[in-house]
């Protein structure tokens, strides 16, 4: 059973930092690409960052230079370090295990964690 459990969200002032964590289980974590997505009220869910099984990272333009995605395969955990936060970063952040042979060629999602950035 694939499970993804996010933690680390909360309320932070503009310019502050947060670290989100995603604990994964139920699949071969070290062989799977992972990602962080976010969804603001009334908006679609958009990709924030992805990291391949080999550690290659991709970021959406709006977070480049501010956010860092990383993974710890020994702990089956993926992280999102967020610096210089802006009010427009406010959203529910979701961890994703991305489509692969191991997952039956579909994405799996965590429950989400709220990040609110005050101005």
């Amino acid at each position: 059973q694939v499970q993804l459990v996010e933690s680390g969200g909360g309320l932070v002032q503009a310019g502050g930092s947060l670290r989100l964590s995603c604990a994964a289980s139920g699949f071969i974590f070290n062989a799977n690409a992972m990602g962080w997505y976010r969804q603001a009220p009334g908006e679609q869910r958009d990709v924030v960052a992805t990291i391949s099984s080999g550690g290659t990272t991709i970021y959406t333009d709006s977070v480049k230079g501010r956010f860092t995605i990383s993974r710890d395969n020994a702990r089956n955990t993926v992280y999102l370090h967020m610096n210089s936060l802006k009010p427009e970063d406010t959203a529910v952040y979701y961890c994703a295990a991305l489509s692969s042979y191991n997952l039956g060629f579909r994405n799996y999602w965590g429950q989400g964690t709220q990040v609110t950035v005050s101005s």
Side-chain angles (χ1 to χ4, degrees):
Q1 181 106 41
V2 173
Q3 289 191 329
L4 302 169
V5 181
E6 300 100 330
S7 61
L11 175 64
V12 65
Q13 293 183 356
S17 299
L18 284 174
R19 185 184 72 168
L20 307 184
S21 299
C22 172
S25 61
F27 64 102
I28 307 172
F29 178 82
N30 63 6
N32 214 86
M34 303 293 295
W36 286 97
Y37 292 67
R38 66 187 181 187
Q39 186 169 22
E43 303 294 328
Q44 68 179 10
R45 186 175 299 183
D46 291 327
V47 66
V48 176
T50 62
I51 184 166
S52 74
S53 60
T56 300
T57 58
I58 301 174
Y59 300 90
T60 193
D61 285 345
S62 62
V63 309
K64 286 179 180 176
R66 300 190 297 121
F67 291 11
T68 302
I69 189 171
S70 61
R71 65 192 299 156
D72 185 342
N73 289 337
R75 292 188 167 95
N76 282 9
T77 302
V78 61
Y79 303 96
L80 186 68
H81 291 257
M82 304 184 293
N83 299 316
S84 302
L85 283 161
K86 305 173 180 179
E88 51 262 46
D89 295 319
T90 295
V92 178
Y93 283 71
Y94 296 90
C95 179
L98 301 177
S99 179
S100 66
Y101 169 84
N102 303 282
L103 298 180
F105 300 104
R106 59 156 290 182
N107 294 344
Y108 285 82
W109 303 93
Q111 82 286 352
T113 185
Q114 177 71 46
V115 172
T116 302
V117 184
S118 61
S119 59

